[in-house]
Amino acid sequence: MSEKTNSVRHDYLRHDKKFPHVWCPGCGNGIVLGSLIRAIDKLGLGKDELVLASGIGCSGRMPVYVDFNTLHTTHGRALTFATGIKLAKPALTVITVMGDGDATAIGGNHFIHAARRNIDLTAIIINNQIYGMTGGQYSPTTPYGSFASTAAWGNIEHAFPIAELAVTAGASFVARGTVYHAAMLDGLLARGIAKKGFSVIEVMSNCHTQYGRRNQMNDPVTMMRHFKEKAVSVDRAAKMSAEEMNDRFTIGVLADVDKPNYMEEYQKIRERAQQH
Amino acid sequence: MSEKNGQRRLLQGNEAIVEGALAAGCRFFAGYPITPASEIAEMMSLRLPALNGTFIQMEDEIAGMGAIIGASLAGVKSLTATSGPGFSLMQENLGFACAAEVPCVVVNVMRVGPSTGLSTSPAQGDVMQARWGTHGDHPVIVLAVSTVVDCFATTVQAFNLAEKYRVPVIVLSDEIVAHTRETVVLPDPADIMVIDRIHPGVPPEWYIPYEDNSRGVPAMAAMGSGYRHHVTGLIHDVRGFPTERPEEVDAFIRRLFRKITNGFAEIQITRSVMMEDAEIAVIAYGAVSRSALRAVRLARSRGIRAGLLQLITLFPFPRKAVEGVLRQCRRVLVPEMNMGQMIREVKRVNLATEIVRHNRVDGQFITPAEIYDHLLSM
């Protein structure tokens, strides 16, 4: 099993050029990267037709490691660049990977508008509930009451539920997974990438270095256990009260709807303009 | 557009910019509405679909700038247009285009600032922002338009320079030029020189995306063309991967500047009018150069030997042409619709004093010893 998995990974990685990576030992980003590669392999996508674009932060370094067309953009703006790429060359499969601060703070406006516009892009948002690279400042997803380097006395802001935000903003496909549920994540990523329209996959991930350390979850294993305990499948959550769901979150597919995507609509406009 | 070419047309400046962009091969526009630039977006939304191009109205100017960079990376010539407030928002991604060497054209139809300023009045207050608006040391090309004909020709030139030098080109217009209607004769498409970026001539496995060459401009492969590589706003090595090694950082920054310096003769465009025997001169750009031309003609009619140097290229500053004027003329007037931005550049062309520079661009601190040694060697 592990040998097969490794060979798949090696085929898609710039393994001879860019390793070791910059992430801390035990970081969830590596699990997301592995999952992404298995999903791409499962879909049979060629490396030349794939684009992986990122913003800034620990997640922003992911494109360096994969042997696709890769792009490391500015903070929060990955979706804007991805929009240009997809519209200019619709045959490309364009995936963005962002962090929680990246996608929902500085890039929050781009995020909701990309969802509303429904361009055929996939947005993977690695939610580690903190700004990791800059030293553990609180992000829009840092839970109320928890601690961060800029919330030394406890966080008094309220967290965005990213997946639910994406559903409301109109994304065609929305799912949430965790780095603990890696096999499930493979499937969610594959479905999101295959979906025509804007897809969002939020991945709850561990930053034990910056978040866990300040919140009694000092190591990756403790954080994994936390995700295992707090994650509730969408089906089971439907049968639970709001009180029971209080500090838990749903995992699975939150939305999967079919609606016209931007490129299909724009092609119709072109045809109309050309007949005019 | 072919059916209308070669014909006389009544166009406003903003429309002529659209015609110029399309003639240069632009097939992607992303932007956000703003006065007095909105007509450019409106015309693009009308024209691009029939040409198999793409128009998109983004959520803000930050996104507009990001989208045109993305489209250009995918191999499509791209344009955005805005005015002061939007131009401020674009600075972040404009810097990315400089660092990653992504050809694109940004039109800034200047209005009075700072801030919201006077949204329907002309100004030339964004000259230094065009040159230095994004952070960090970076080269950029800035052109200025003064007539509707200019709007067409200079926009074509802007795309050609962007493609040839892999650099964002900023076209500074202003509310006067944008909304002035003039009769123009657009050239036949066959008569327009269109330059495209150079694609790699080697197989993908040999492609080194940021490899230096005699021009300092690496060949550029579009995403999806089989030449997979990494593009980043981090300082990168010749393969496109982030580096912090001082010698690689230094080589990168210096090449960015050298590629523009190498092209000075071609990039620095000026127009001399009645300068042959001029004793006094006006140096002007944009709409103001039209008033200047009129003033020079008036002076000539009264026997005063006046001349005009119109700057089409503001940056890289056309030093040679300006030096010529300063050598020849007793007095030089620099009129501008701002508190004096280009005049400082003109004053910098000062031959009386030797001014020596000392630079480091490798991420390392300039030490007191370095400066001391340099002072002693002067």
Side-chain angles (χ1 to χ4, degrees):
Chain A
M1 146 88 195
S2 68
E3 203 158 72
K4 166 82 175 78
T5 308
N6 282 340
S7 74
V8 168
R9 279 195 207 139
H10 275 118
D11 192 35
Y12 289 94
L13 293 176
R14 289 167 173 152
H15 57 90
D16 53 341
K17 292 177 189 153
K18 296 320 296 175
F19 284 82
H21 56 68
V22 298
W23 299 322
C24 300
C27 176
N29 285 356
I31 297 173
V32 181
L33 176 56
S35 202
L36 174 63
I37 286 169
R38 288 190 295 275
I40 284 165
D41 186 58
K42 188 178 156 192
L43 293 170
L45 296 169
K47 292 187 275 188
D48 282 330
E49 62 195 79
L50 275 164
V51 177
L52 185 65
S54 67
I56 297 292
C58 294
S59 66
R61 297 305 179 103
M62 191 180 284
V64 161
Y65 306 123
V66 292
D67 189 18
F68 311 149
N69 302 282
T70 56
L71 176 63
H72 179 205
T73 75
T74 44
H75 197 19
R77 321 296 180 209
L79 283 169
T80 71
F81 286 64
T83 296
I85 295 166
K86 185 66 183 180
L87 297 188
K89 234 178 212 174
L92 292 171
T93 297
V94 183
I95 302 167
T96 62
V97 59
M98 299 172 282
D100 44 292
D102 198 28
T104 67
I106 193 164
N109 199 30
H110 308 309
F111 177 55
I112 56 174
H113 285 279
R116 173 185 67 79
R117 215 174 260 135
N118 202 32
I119 295 174
D120 185 17
L121 301 170
T122 303
I124 301 167
I125 301 172
I126 303 178
N127 180 1
N128 60 13
Q129 305 172 297
I130 203 81
Y131 286 92
M133 187 170 265
T134 48
Q137 297 82 8
Y138 68 91
S139 86
T141 59
T142 302
Y144 176 83
S146 56
F147 295 90
S149 65
T150 47
W153 306 100
N155 182 26
I156 56 172
E157 295 189 19
H158 302 278
F160 263 146
I162 297 178
E164 285 79 0
L165 178 67
V167 173
T168 310
S172 283
F173 179 88
V174 181
R176 189 189 282 117
T178 84
V179 290
Y180 173 78
H181 306 83
M184 177 190 189
L185 187 59
D186 294 3
L188 295 176
L189 288 172
R191 278 182 68 181
I193 294 165
K195 180 76 183 181
K196 288 282 169 214
F198 190 69
S199 313
V200 177
I201 300 97
E202 177 189 2
V203 188
M204 301 302 296
S205 182
N206 58 298
C207 181
H208 46 280
T209 308
Q210 297 292 7
Y211 180 74
R213 179 160 59 91
R214 294 181 173 87
N215 293 281
Q216 294 83 49
M217 291 183 284
N218 244 328
D219 61 281
V221 177
T222 310
M223 291 210 72
M224 288 279 192
R225 266 197 206 111
H226 172 76
F227 293 137
K228 183 188 175 190
E229 284 160 14
K230 300 297 178 189
V232 181
S233 75
V234 172
D235 293 339
R236 196 154 68 88
K239 295 170 199 147
M240 288 166 66
S241 68
E243 206 168 61
E244 286 173 307
M245 281 299 292
N246 186 28
D247 63 341
R248 297 167 194 273
F249 56 86
T250 53
I251 55 169
V253 176
L254 279 76
D256 188 357
V257 293
D258 291 314
K259 55 181 178 181
N261 80 63
Y262 190 95
M263 278 320 292
E264 289 166 6
E265 295 295 299
Y266 200 82
Q267 193 50 39
K268 289 181 205 162
I269 286 178
R270 281 181 184 152
E271 284 157 19
R272 228 180 295 153
Q274 281 158 17
Q275 283 161 8
H276 192 68
Chain B
M1 67 181 285
S2 56
E3 76 283 359
K4 284 174 182 166
N5 271 345
Q7 287 181 8
R8 292 164 71 82
R9 292 180 65 187
L10 181 67
L11 295 177
Q12 61 163 223
N14 279 345
E15 289 171 330
I17 282 175
V18 170
E19 296 298 341
L22 296 176
C26 171
R27 291 296 179 270
F28 187 88
F29 182 98
Y32 187 81
I34 189 166
T35 304
S38 295
E39 293 88 354
I40 299 174
E42 289 165 6
M43 288 292 294
M44 280 303 215
S45 81
L46 182 70
R47 296 290 299 281
L48 278 170
L51 298 166
N52 263 329
T54 312
F55 167 90
I56 186 165
Q57 184 170 309
M58 297 299 286
E59 54 273 17
D60 55 31
E61 289 88 347
I62 301 169
M65 191 67 217
I68 70 162
I69 294 171
S72 184
L73 285 169
V76 178
K77 291 187 189 179
S78 306
L79 173 74
T80 189
T82 187
S83 188
F87 193 53
S88 291
L89 288 181
M90 287 178 182
Q91 296 306 324
E92 178 194 36
N93 284 340
L94 200 52
F96 184 96
C98 294
E101 299 174 77
V102 185
C104 54
V105 176
V106 177
V107 175
N108 175 5
V109 184
M110 291 185 286
R111 64 190 221 187
V112 176
S115 190
T116 316
L118 296 174
S119 53
T120 58
S121 302
Q124 295 180 312
D126 304 350
V127 170
M128 282 298 157
Q129 186 188 23
R131 175 61 192 90
W132 291 113
T134 194
H135 60 272
D137 233 354
H138 63 281
V140 75
I141 296 174
V142 183
L143 309 178
V145 291
S146 63
T147 65
V148 174
V149 175
D150 265 4
C151 285
F152 180 88
T154 304
T155 304
V156 173
Q157 239 150 2
F159 274 97
N160 285 347
L161 293 174
E163 293 284 314
K164 186 166 179 182
Y165 293 94
R166 289 192 62 176
V167 67
V169 176
I170 295 155
V171 176
L172 289 181
S173 178
D174 60 63
E175 196 278 331
I176 295 174
V177 180
H179 291 153
T180 298
R181 285 184 189 276
E182 293 179 282
T183 304
V184 292
V185 180
L186 299 182
D188 191 279
D191 297 334
I192 299 169
M193 185 178 70
V194 171
I195 298 174
D196 295 328
R197 67 193 67 171
I198 293 173
H199 294 276
V202 296
E205 60 272 24
W206 292 358
Y207 178 51
I208 302 171
Y210 289 95
E211 189 177 32
D212 198 0
N213 54 36
S214 59
R215 287 179 55 234
V217 186
M220 185 173 181
M223 285 185 167
S225 65
Y227 292 77
R228 298 187 305 276
H229 65 281
H230 187 62
V231 178
T232 177
L234 286 167
I235 304 294
H236 40 273
D237 60 20
V238 292
R239 296 195 173 273
F241 296 120
T243 180
E244 291 177 0
R245 297 172 66 173
E247 68 275 17
E248 289 180 340
V249 176
D250 186 81
F252 169 75
I253 300 281
R254 287 185 192 276
R255 180 177 61 73
L256 284 192
F257 278 82
R258 178 165 52 82
K259 70 177 179 181
I260 303 297
T261 314
N262 283 350
F264 269 5
E266 171 186 55
I267 299 169
Q268 293 174 336
I269 309 160
T270 58
R271 191 181 285 153
S272 291
V273 186
M274 291 177 276
M275 277 304 302
E276 296 76 21
D277 61 342
E279 289 174 344
I280 62 168
V282 183
I283 298 178
Y285 57 94
V288 174
S289 52
R290 304 180 70 154
S291 303
L293 179 59
R294 176 86 178 148
V296 164
R297 283 191 178 137
L298 264 171
R300 285 272 170 179
S301 74
R302 288 173 193 181
I304 300 166
R305 286 199 272 178
L308 167 68
L309 179 72
Q310 182 186 346
L311 309 181
I312 312 251
T313 303
L314 303 188
F315 298 102
F317 183 68
R319 180 181 183 130
K320 256 192 176 164
V322 171
E323 271 178 358
V325 171
L326 294 179
R327 229 177 269 129
Q328 179 184 334
C329 298
R330 293 177 287 129
R331 293 194 187 93
V332 170
L333 182 72
V334 184
E336 346 176 44
M337 290 191 291
N338 55 46
M339 290 293 282
Q341 296 195 14
M342 280 310 270
I343 193 171
R344 291 185 187 156
E345 294 299 302
V346 174
K347 281 181 176 170
R348 283 217 295 180
V349 184
N350 176 351
L351 304 173
T353 310
E354 188 192 9
I355 301 159
V356 179
R357 48 202 201 127
H358 181 99
N359 313 103
R360 273 195 87 152
V361 284
D362 61 356
Q364 306 298 299
F365 190 51
I366 294 182
T367 62
E370 257 179 85
I371 297 170
Y372 179 72
D373 289 346
H374 201 153
L375 275 174
L376 254 64
S377 75
M378 277 168 65

